[in-house]
Each structure stands twice: as C-alpha cells, then as structure tokens.
Amino acid sequence: MEKQDKEKGDTVEVKKNDGRKIYRGKGRINIPKALLIDALTDTDKVKNWNQTLQETKVLKKLNDTYAITYQITAEAAGGMVSSRDFVYGSKIGSTGPNDEVFVMGGRSVDFPGAPKTSKIVRAINGPGCQMVSPVEGEADMSDFTWLMDCDYKGWMPGSILDVALPIAQTTFIDCIRKHAAKLKAKIGRASCRE
C-alpha cells in the first residue's frame, strides 16, 4: 500500500518489477459504467476535465478499438515534476465472464507523425491499462482501476517520483469524480426538461 484515502476508499498500491515501481490506483465513482467509459475514451475532450493533462489528441485511429494518441502532462507535485509528453498506442475491449469489465490498455509506441519538442521530456509508458467495472447491485456506481508503469525520464530524484506518481493517480480519480458529478447533473437537468 502506497497511499490510502479512508474517506473516499481510494487506494494506490505499488509493486517493484525489474527494479521499477508499477502503480495501481483504485477508486469507486458515482457514475454509470457507460458514462465513465464514454468520458475516458473521448481522447480529444479528456483534457477538458482531467487536470493532470495539458494536451491530448488522437494522432491516428487505426480502427474502432486501436488508436495512437499524444498527451502532455501538467506539472505535478507542486511544480517539482515538470510536464512530460508521451505517445501511446491503445486498444479498448472487454473482459470478464460476461464481458462486463471495460479495459483500455496500451503502452508507449514510436510513431513518425508524433509531435516533438526540445522543451518537454518524452516519458515512456510500459504496459498499463485503465479498467471500469460495474458495482453489483448499484447501477449508478463504477469501480475504476489504473495500472501505471511509467518511466518519467529526465533528471529527477526517485524520491520525488515516489510522491508524485501516487498523487497523479489520486488526482486523476478526483477529476473523474468531479466530471461524473457534472455529467449526472447535466443528465438530471435534461430529464427535468422532458
């Protein structure tokens, strides 16, 4: 256990793999699974609600399940961690006995059309994923899991990353919660008009 929020139930766990730390963040979100999946997969709009990102865009959509995207992170840990960019190849799908668990997994890829800038360090993501699971008996709730294997590159003490990466995961989960509340309020207003 790396970090735990007892009030919200969020956790960040860490495990070493070949000397590198792999993080798994988990949280329960008050939003139906389908709405959360729509929000996570709308790459061009994710930065509108996700404060951990400055920029995000689809570089190439290979088909309905495969895409290559580009992201620039926001500064983290009170500015101690500068922005990073990365190029990510991802696939979406479902798993579980009845395909009830949504999975968006991938890793960093080399892509000739990716933007490059000397002002931002290119981070490398190892295999990772984000998953959305239904909560049994609660149609308006979803369990969210993010498995992150990220090499931030650049000159940075490991002790700073040990603080920054769990904060990035819990901040992202908080961003999802805030976005979920806005989506539910918007749907509620639309229902009242009908």
Side-chain angles (χ1 to χ4, degrees):
M1 187 71 64
E2 187 75 9
K3 186 175 182 181
Q4 184 172 25
D5 183 328
K6 291 181 181 176
E7 183 182 319
K8 297 176 186 172
D10 299 345
T11 59
V12 176
E13 300 162 315
V14 65
K15 183 176 183 177
K16 279 198 173 182
N17 184 28
D18 292 331
R20 244 185 16 245
K21 289 186 176 182
I22 312 297
Y23 294 88
R24 180 173 62 188
K26 296 180 187 179
R28 183 160 284 179
I29 314 294
N30 186 3
I31 187 172
K33 183 179 123 180
L35 283 179
L36 181 50
I37 292 168
D38 287 346
L40 292 171
T41 57
D42 192 351
T43 301
D44 291 327
K45 292 184 181 173
V46 167
K47 71 176 180 200
N48 296 342
W49 56 266
N50 179 0
Q51 71 184 42
T52 67
L53 293 174
Q54 281 183 24
E55 182 179 336
T56 180
K57 62 184 171 184
V58 174
L59 297 177
K60 183 167 184 150
K61 189 171 181 176
L62 303 169
N63 59 35
D64 288 342
T65 59
Y66 290 95
I68 298 172
T69 60
Y70 175 75
Q71 285 93 21
I72 299 177
T73 65
E75 288 185 350
M80 288 191 294
V81 179
S82 63
S83 296
R84 299 293 197 262
D85 72 350
F86 55 94
V87 181
Y88 195 75
S90 66
K91 178 185 186 321
I92 58 173
S94 297
T95 189
N98 299 311
D99 284 341
E100 75 275 6
V101 179
F102 168 83
V103 180
M104 180 168 56
R107 65 174 300 141
S108 286
V109 295
D110 290 325
F111 184 69
K116 288 184 182 180
T117 174
S118 60
K119 296 178 182 178
I120 298 177
V121 175
R122 172 85 20 111
I124 304 296
N125 283 293
C129 68
Q130 294 178 346
M131 300 186 321
V132 180
S133 308
V135 176
E136 190 173 331
E138 298 187 52
D140 282 350
M141 298 294 280
S142 298
D143 282 330
F144 174 77
T145 304
W146 177 15
L147 183 65
M148 178 176 61
D149 173 5
C150 187
D151 182 353
Y152 253 57
K153 300 290 186 186
W155 295 92
M156 188 177 327
S159 58
I160 291 176
L161 281 178
D162 290 346
V163 171
L165 293 178
I167 288 173
Q169 288 197 307
T170 55
T171 300
F172 182 61
I173 292 170
D174 281 340
C175 289
I176 293 172
R177 273 199 186 93
K178 290 174 186 168
H179 186 59
K182 287 180 185 175
L183 287 175
K184 288 185 84 171
K186 187 176 179 181
I187 289 169
R189 286 192 303 271
S191 298
C192 289
R193 284 190 220 114
E194 290 175 0

